[in-house]
Amino acid sequence: MKKNSDLLSKLLQKFSSMLPWSVALICMPLIQTSYASEPQPWQWNFQPPATPVMEQIIDFHNLMFFVEVGIVLLVLGLMVYIVVKFNSKANPKPTKTTHNTTLEVLWTVIPIVILIIFAVPSMKLLFFMEKAQNPEMTLKVTGNQWYWSYQYPDNGNFEFDSNIIPDEDIKPGQRRLLEVDNQVVLPVNTEIKVLLTARDVMHNWAVPAFGIKIDTIPGRINETWMKVTKIGTYYGQCSELCGVAHSRMPISVKVVSKEDFKKWLKKAKSEFASSDNNKMLKLAQLKK
Amino acid sequence: MSNITHDHHDHRPSGWKRWAYSTNHKDIGTMYLVLSMFAAIIGGAASMLMRAELHEPGIQFITDPQFYNVLVTAHGFIMVFFVVMPALIGGFGNWFIPLMIGTPDMAFPRMNNVSFWLVAAALILLVIAGFIDGGAGTGWTVYPPLSSADYHPGMAVDFGILALHLAGASSILGAINFITTIINMRAPGMTFHRMPLFIWAMLLTAFLLLLAIPVLAGALTMLLTDRNFGTAFFAPDGGGDPVLWQHLFWFFGHPEVYIMILPAFGIISEIVSTFSKKPIFGYLGMAYAMTSIGVVGFVVWAHHMYTMGFNVETRAYFTLATMVIAVPTGIKIFSWLATMWGGSIKFDTPMLYSMGFIFLFVVGGVTGVTLANAGVDMAFHDTYFVVAHFHYVLSISALFSMYAGFYYWFGKMSGKRYPEWLGRLQFWVTFVGVNLLFFPQHFAGMAGMPRRIIDYPDAYAGWNMISSWGAYISAVGGILFFVVLYKTLTSNVKAEANEWGVGATTLEWTVDSPAPFHTHEVTPNIIPEPAE
Amino acid sequence: MELKKQKSTTRVGDGVVNMRKKSSRNGLTAVVLGFLVFSMIGLAYASEPLYRIFCQVTGYGGTTRIAVFDNKGLVAKNSITVRFDANVNKLLPWRFKPMQNKITLRPGEQAIAFYEATNVSDKPIVGTAVFNVAPFKVGEYFNKIECFCFTEQILLPGQTVQMPVTFFVDSSIAEDRNTKEVSTITLSYTFYASDDQSEVENLSRTSLEIKKSVDSLRRTQIIQPG
């Protein structure tokens, strides 16, 4: 119970200090000004796409969005009309209509047609995401509590961990909760096979700008592919509840030109331990 | 004959025994409603704490991130199992099924009592679970391996499992009770196609409960034995698979959300018909729309698992099957609108909430169509877009139906009339609050904000702040509800037997307000009105 | 349809009598419903073997097959690359890696690959490996003839073993519309500490006996350390 009264006083303190923050935020510009590979304040749309998959996701979503907004506005319009025309003062005598076959057929068939209109691009997108590629390299991603490890089996078979840069070490210009010590470096315009697994509990590797989001499940390898078409740095966050630091295991991918990638590989091979002698193994207690 | 009723009244218990040993559907319904309100305060408090923490980036006052995850978990369980279900099914279901079908009580009145006290015990166990051994910080989905003994040692998850077993048993017994009552005990002349739509909704809900909850029970037992008795259903090191839990949980979990919304559909149908002073448009279509929603709801579970990594053909199937549900749902929305069309509507509080329900359920429903598509779900899975979607259909729509049912039926239950101006105020405050709370979450999700995080990158601050203010306003709406409750109970204004006039054509409006302890001791005969 | 309550021909108390008359029918209904409940619980428990059989038959989720190698001489034209992936669960203090990154072979041909595991702790441990292939759709074509994953492995402290897996990719992979364009298959293992560590006790007993006989041998003969 002591915890609760601590909570309560902290709550009250926070409330009184929140006011200036709130005012500041409201005054911030409401229009998104620049495209970047990270979330922007007041962003209400997807992060700009950096892969053909994400471009297709956005296109398909836009189709659905406009139709759905239309449906919502239609229902709203009908309800406004009802309020105006059929309130008890405007219409004292109710009708007895309980059937209208035409209407019933229309509002069954038209939604079916709309769903078919959605289903076609939906299936196209799904199968495009699945299309077997000719990957030029492989990236292996492993989820841990609470960091990611990356292995490059085709390019020197080295492995490294990617830990969050904690709040207290964040420098100005860096993004809190998104920066890591070792980024994943990948070449642009290259088809990459991604293998994913986890070492302890379920995690999920996600990069919004890529349109990638796959569960990493212990005891199982998942596979997907990606091809990033824009040089830049891209951020994502773990997307499956994995314990106390679930909010603190970000993903940071640096996509560089193919030449820069080769240069980085050389450095990385010597800097990062070979997968053969990898990781500090903690002598964990056995379950029994 | 008169001897029987006389004896009946002589043996009616009073004091605490009236409630502890109750076999009266009205009293049991009342207890469920009280439990639901009590649990709403606890579950609501959990969400207020979370929204206060998320009001700004950085850690505000929850210094133990496990406690945040425990709040996430507790909020989910409490709202689903101890607020929505007890209110709609245990509360309004128990109160109005016998009244509407013309029978004195449920088929198994004593089992009805057992059902209630199981839920009460379950709630206590669940709250305890939050405070022992660090609590269960797994989310209401309880995925292993996070929920296994390796990563959640101690008894918290086990207490939670036990609590859910009790709640599940309660629901199964209740479902048997409801189905038996509705199938066997309708008054003569009330065929299936003359039942009020609320009864249809409750019958379908009970069938969903009957078939879905046992699967949850099985899964929970498997998790319990994995954690404590050396089995390996979900543990790869024993030959098991964490993915099996997901299949079992969501096979229950998806019908569960229809269990929560079907009673709401029933309540809204009654209110819309009553207030429009017209019968429901397309009665058969409504009944069979609800039936198909319930049936199809059993074969779409894997849309909660799209990113798990199963093959594309299966994802394609689940996408299409999930989208199919939009068709019967659309039939319902348009039928409600068509019912109102040509009606003579007084927009009292129950009708306000029903209008709010219809509109906001459409908003929640269309985001559901977006999410149904496995391709697009790659962008949305486990983001706040999903949180926005399900809160629109639950925390707004189901909640609105609970409020609507309260304002519609409270006069019948208590014999007192609520102050209309206060009801409307409570509606508008709540309406503004919940929309401010959940609409910005769509944007946060599109921008990439993940779920179940105690702290977020600074860019998401704007929408989170608005959402938190919406939460505080909703809380004021909740407090106002209790003010309405208090003011009504302490007022002297009596409610009529039929508060709502010619539009109210179901049988509960033929008995006194408050409904006597025993009703329908004379079985009504139902005859249809001659066609015009 | 509107319902109208007609003046009733039944009497006060009939409602209660009505309830009593219905009680046997209610009981039957309840029994039927209860049966449904238990069936669904049974279905939940049956899900595990049912899913397993389904996966084995269809190769779903990258479930591989166990097969006896039957070289009918059917070998596909185009080669396929099989790459090898290794993972260790956090709670198992072993190092585990494939000894070759990949092998290129033609579907229908048999091959053998090796994995190496080292117990870096100070206790003997029994390990068990789970596995799957990616992409999942090739699971039904991936056949293992011999595999270390078929049995549990016990490693003494500091011990390193090389473990073989003999496999082939069924040649009909090239004829399946779904899989014929697959050029790379990943075979992935994850080692866990076995649920059942009882072999360790047997080992201790055995090694104790061996130690006893070695000691007695030492007393009678000089045994040079190797």
Side-chain angles (χ1 to χ4, degrees):
Chain A
M1 288 303 139
K2 182 180 185 299
K3 222 181 180 182
N4 287 350
S5 63
D6 273 357
L7 267 178
L8 200 56
S9 56
K10 282 199 182 121
L11 201 58
L12 289 168
Q13 272 178 0
K14 258 300 157 180
F15 259 83
S16 51
S17 69
M18 260 187 241
L19 234 18
W21 238 113
S22 314
V23 172
L25 272 167
I26 290 173
C27 296
M28 273 171 97
L30 274 131
I31 302 166
Q32 219 178 314
T33 47
S34 60
Y35 283 97
S37 50
E38 57 179 301
Q40 297 295 313
W42 298 108
Q43 179 162 4
W44 55 271
N45 215 333
F46 288 117
Q47 292 181 31
T51 60
V53 165
M54 191 58 195
E55 282 168 18
Q56 277 204 23
I57 289 178
I58 293 179
D59 286 342
F60 176 46
H61 175 264
N62 285 342
L63 166 69
M64 285 197 289
F65 177 72
F66 283 110
V67 173
E68 287 163 9
V69 166
I71 293 172
V72 169
L73 289 177
L74 169 71
V75 170
L76 182 63
L78 288 169
M79 289 177 78
V80 167
Y81 188 85
I82 286 169
V83 168
V84 167
K85 284 282 190 206
F86 299 117
N87 65 71
S88 50
K89 284 203 195 74
N91 188 34
K93 188 159 157 52
T95 71
K96 293 244 190 250
T97 320
T98 54
H99 283 289
N100 182 324
T101 315
T102 317
L103 262 185
E104 293 179 68
V105 165
L106 277 179
W107 70 45
T108 309
V109 168
I110 294 183
I112 292 179
V113 168
I114 293 177
L115 287 179
I116 294 176
I117 293 176
F118 288 169
V120 171
S122 182
M123 295 295 107
K124 271 180 65 191
L125 168 62
L126 197 55
F127 282 89
F128 176 66
M129 291 166 76
E130 190 62 18
K131 202 169 75 176
Q133 300 296 304
N134 287 314
E136 299 163 51
M137 62 168 281
T138 305
L139 173 72
K140 179 157 166 226
V141 176
T142 305
N144 308 275
Q145 284 179 325
W146 286 277
Y147 59 94
W148 295 96
S149 353
Y150 300 104
Q151 183 188 355
Y152 288 71
D154 293 339
N155 303 77
N157 205 23
F158 58 90
E159 187 166 351
F160 60 88
D161 295 342
S162 184
N163 294 287
I164 186 177
I165 296 184
D167 286 7
E168 49 274 19
D169 297 337
I170 284 279
K171 301 188 187 44
Q174 286 190 310
R175 300 142 190 88
R176 210 175 58 85
L177 293 181
L178 291 176
E179 306 281 6
V180 298
D181 51 7
N182 300 312
Q183 290 178 301
V184 188
V185 179
L186 293 172
V188 74
N189 286 321
T190 310
E191 269 163 22
I192 302 168
K193 183 203 297 247
V194 188
L195 296 173
L196 306 109
T197 187
R199 285 189 74 221
D200 36 43
V201 300
M202 278 181 61
H203 301 267
N204 181 306
W205 200 74
V207 182
F210 296 170
I212 262 194
K213 185 172 286 167
I214 306 276
D215 284 354
T216 62
I217 301 173
R220 172 192 173 118
I221 203 100
N222 272 342
E223 176 183 295
T224 187
W225 70 278
M226 62 182 180
K227 177 176 171 179
V228 188
T229 52
K230 261 196 280 201
I231 289 178
T233 302
Y234 302 92
Y235 297 96
Q237 293 179 268
C238 175
S239 296
E240 183 60 53
L241 181 60
C242 55
V244 296
H246 165 58
S247 56
R248 292 178 192 283
M249 43 183 294
I251 295 141
S252 176
V253 182
K254 187 166 170 201
V255 177
V256 298
S257 68
K258 299 195 192 194
E259 300 73 44
D260 285 342
F261 179 65
K262 288 203 188 78
K263 288 192 207 130
W264 175 82
L265 271 181
K266 272 209 203 81
K267 223 172 33 111
K269 270 186 255 200
S270 50
E271 183 183 339
F272 297 125
S274 157
S275 283
D276 291 351
N277 313 314
N278 65 3
K279 318 192 244 258
M280 288 187 292
L281 283 166
K282 303 172 186 120
L283 292 179
Q285 300 287 0
L286 269 183
K287 216 169 37 173
K288 297 247 164 18
Chain B
M1 279 305 155
S2 53
N3 233 12
I4 296 173
T5 43
H6 207 65
D7 284 351
H8 231 31
H9 285 123
D10 275 348
H11 289 156
R12 194 203 313 189
S14 57
W16 66 273
K17 286 193 190 165
R18 172 180 168 186
W19 304 102
Y21 300 155
S22 177
T23 54
N24 179 283
H25 72 99
K26 303 183 189 70
D27 279 357
I28 292 176
T30 301
M31 288 197 285
Y32 268 109
L33 288 170
V34 169
L35 179 133
S36 157
M37 290 182 214
F38 179 64
I41 295 174
I42 304 178
S47 60
M48 289 303 132
L49 285 175
M50 288 191 281
R51 280 307 339 156
E53 174 57 54
L54 292 174
H55 190 124
E56 282 177 5
I59 300 294
Q60 319 312 323
F61 59 92
I62 298 184
T63 45
D64 178 11
Q66 172 71 1
F67 182 63
Y68 183 85
N69 291 344
V70 169
L71 285 176
V72 168
T73 312
H75 168 73
F77 277 134
I78 291 178
M79 291 311 199
V80 169
F81 290 99
F82 300 100
V83 177
V84 176
M85 287 170 75
L88 292 177
I89 305 171
F92 294 134
N94 268 309
W95 251 101
F96 292 104
I97 292 176
L99 278 176
M100 280 189 184
I101 66 176
T103 193
D105 209 304
M106 304 291 279
F108 305 111
R110 276 177 305 184
M111 193 165 77
N112 209 6
N113 181 274
V114 169
S115 279
F116 171 74
W117 287 109
L118 280 173
V119 176
L123 178 60
I124 293 173
L125 271 180
L126 189 76
V127 172
I128 291 177
F131 290 107
I132 57 171
D133 290 341
T138 58
W140 87 293
T141 47
V142 203
Y143 283 1
L146 183 62
S147 58
S148 70
D150 284 334
Y151 298 98
H152 259 89
M155 305 239 289
V157 173
D158 302 299
F159 263 73
I161 291 175
L162 239 42
L164 290 177
H165 266 140
L166 293 182
S170 159
S171 290
I172 291 175
L173 296 178
I176 295 177
N177 220 338
F178 280 28
I179 294 173
T180 311
T181 307
I182 294 173
I183 291 184
N184 287 349
M185 295 172 68
R186 281 162 290 127
M190 186 181 286
T191 59
F192 274 116
H193 287 175
R194 290 194 201 133
M195 295 196 308
L197 282 173
F198 178 68
I199 305 296
W200 267 103
M202 298 312 297
L203 179 64
L204 291 165
T205 304
F207 266 110
L208 260 55
L209 280 168
L210 195 80
L211 299 174
I213 300 253
V215 176
L216 175 70
L220 287 172
T221 310
M222 292 181 208
L223 184 64
L224 190 68
T225 55
D226 264 23
R227 284 175 54 83
N228 297 291
F229 301 112
T231 59
F233 289 101
F234 311 119
D237 55 357
D241 193 346
V243 171
L244 179 64
W245 168 271
Q246 289 188 47
H247 281 290
L248 290 172
F249 180 84
W250 286 116
F251 188 83
F252 148 77
H254 195 77
E256 170 62 27
V257 310
Y258 293 121
I259 287 166
M260 288 193 278
I261 207 66
L262 280 175
F265 287 164
I267 295 176
I268 298 302
S269 286
E270 298 302 332
I271 295 177
V272 166
S273 163
T274 298
F275 278 79
S276 306
K277 302 190 175 59
K278 295 172 66 212
I280 272 280
F281 186 101
Y283 169 92
L284 269 185
M286 288 295 246
Y288 287 105
M290 285 197 286
T291 308
S292 43
I293 290 172
V295 169
V296 178
F298 265 101
V299 293
V300 295
W301 75 92
H303 64 231
H304 299 273
M305 297 161 59
Y306 279 145
T307 58
M308 187 207 81
F310 58 93
N311 75 345
V312 65
E313 291 87 3
T314 312
R315 274 180 280 152
Y317 159 73
F318 279 105
T319 297
L320 297 171
T322 308
M323 289 213 285
V324 160
I325 300 190
V327 178
T329 312
I331 291 175
K332 293 191 76 64
I333 298 287
F334 289 117
S335 296
W336 283 318
L337 293 178
T339 307
M340 293 188 258
W341 200 274
S344 175
I345 313 173
K346 193 152 177 296
F347 289 96
D348 286 339
T349 311
M351 193 57 183
L352 286 177
Y353 270 112
S354 302
M355 301 280 280
F357 173 96
I358 293 171
F359 178 62
L360 297 171
F361 189 77
V362 172
V363 174
V366 293
T367 56
V369 171
T370 304
L371 288 167
N373 293 279
V376 156
D377 192 48
M378 289 299 137
F380 286 132
H381 176 81
D382 227 79
T383 64
Y384 259 80
F385 191 86
V386 178
V387 177
H389 159 71
F390 67 72
H391 281 102
Y392 257 83
V393 291
L394 284 175
S395 176
I396 299 185
S397 302
L399 178 71
F400 275 29
S401 79
M402 286 154 59
Y403 282 141
F406 168 83
Y407 286 105
Y408 185 54
W409 278 319
F410 195 58
K412 179 62 54 185
M413 295 193 274
S414 66
K416 307 272 176 83
R417 180 182 293 168
Y418 69 87
E420 180 61 38
W421 70 271
L422 197 50
R424 292 187 190 188
L425 175 67
Q426 197 260 339
F427 167 76
W428 284 111
V429 171
T430 303
F431 184 85
V432 169
V434 296
N435 278 289
L436 270 183
L437 169 50
F438 293 116
F439 203 74
Q441 293 183 352
H442 292 107
F443 302 136
M446 285 195 74
M449 179 177 171
R451 286 174 72 170
R452 296 168 161 176
I453 52 176
I454 186 177
D455 187 11
Y456 48 82
D458 299 348
Y460 300 120
W463 301 124
N464 272 286
M465 187 195 63
I466 296 184
S467 180
S468 292
W469 279 112
Y472 312 142
I473 296 174
S474 305
V476 170
I479 293 172
L480 274 177
F481 167 75
F482 286 105
V483 172
V484 171
L485 189 61
Y486 175 77
K487 279 241 169 272
T488 310
L489 286 172
T490 54
S491 87
N492 288 320
V493 184
K494 283 201 175 36
E496 313 252 326
N498 181 347
E499 273 285 86
W500 308 114
V502 302
T505 56
T506 41
L507 283 176
E508 76 269 30
W509 306 110
T510 64
V511 305
D512 289 334
S513 293
F517 194 72
H518 290 136
T519 41
H520 295 316
E521 289 172 317
V522 177
T523 308
N525 282 324
I526 311 300
I527 53 164
E529 264 205 353
E532 307 216 333
Chain C
M1 296 198 154
E2 267 201 44
L3 304 174
K4 202 163 82 170
K5 188 176 153 189
Q6 189 186 42
K7 192 170 164 97
S8 193
T9 52
T10 54
R11 292 164 296 173
V12 173
D14 270 356
V16 174
V17 171
N18 202 24
M19 277 187 71
R20 290 218 186 101
K21 253 191 240 165
K22 297 229 189 265
S23 67
S24 61
R25 189 155 164 235
N26 286 352
L28 180 64
T29 312
V31 166
V32 170
L33 297 175
F35 177 73
L36 271 177
V37 169
F38 285 106
S39 305
M40 292 307 286
I41 297 182
L43 193 67
Y45 272 94
S47 66
E48 190 263 321
L50 283 176
Y51 268 111
R52 191 161 10 97
I53 293 172
F54 178 77
C55 291
Q56 275 170 1
V57 167
T58 62
Y60 201 83
T63 310
T64 58
R65 297 209 161 154
I66 302 172
V68 172
F69 185 61
D70 178 5
N71 190 6
K72 290 206 191 85
L74 287 168
V75 172
K77 227 172 7 138
N78 295 324
S79 301
I80 203 167
T81 304
V82 177
R83 50 178 328 128
F84 301 94
D85 176 62
N87 304 285
V88 182
N89 177 260
K90 188 160 85 168
L91 299 173
L92 177 66
W94 285 14
R95 263 204 304 270
F96 178 54
K97 61 172 186 162
M99 300 219 64
Q100 64 289 300
N101 216 352
K102 50 187 161 198
I103 285 178
T104 305
L105 78 169
R106 298 209 305 229
E109 287 173 351
Q110 192 183 357
I112 184 167
F114 287 90
Y115 278 80
E116 186 181 272
T118 307
N119 179 348
V120 297
S121 77
D122 57 358
K123 292 196 264 296
I125 301 175
V126 182
T128 195
V130 298
F131 51 88
N132 71 321
V133 288
F136 298 154
K137 57 190 175 185
V138 305
E140 56 179 315
Y141 296 105
F142 196 94
N143 297 275
K144 294 188 208 158
I145 301 161
E146 268 299 324
C147 179
F148 60 87
C149 51
F150 295 164
T151 55
E152 290 178 334
Q153 305 293 319
I154 180 167
L155 286 185
L156 298 173
Q159 184 182 7
T160 299
V161 290
Q162 269 126 24
M163 301 173 291
V165 52
T166 322
F167 64 93
F168 69 96
V169 181
D170 196 301
S171 54
S172 48
I173 195 177
E175 283 140 43
D176 184 338
R177 199 167 49 106
N178 262 343
T179 55
K180 66 177 182 208
E181 86 290 12
V182 173
S183 57
T184 310
I185 298 175
T186 305
L187 174 64
S188 172
Y189 288 89
T190 307
F191 251 106
Y192 278 82
S194 253
D195 242 3
D196 175 15
Q197 294 286 322
S198 57
E199 277 307 301
V200 169
E201 280 118 59
N202 292 344
L203 193 69
S204 314
R205 251 181 290 127
T206 315
S207 67
L208 205 58
E209 271 150 41
I210 291 177
K211 190 173 185 303
K212 277 197 200 135
S213 24
V214 167
D215 280 349
S216 72
L217 271 175
R218 274 219 177 98
R219 273 182 247 117
T220 56
Q221 265 184 297
I222 312 278
I223 296 179
Q224 297 288 347

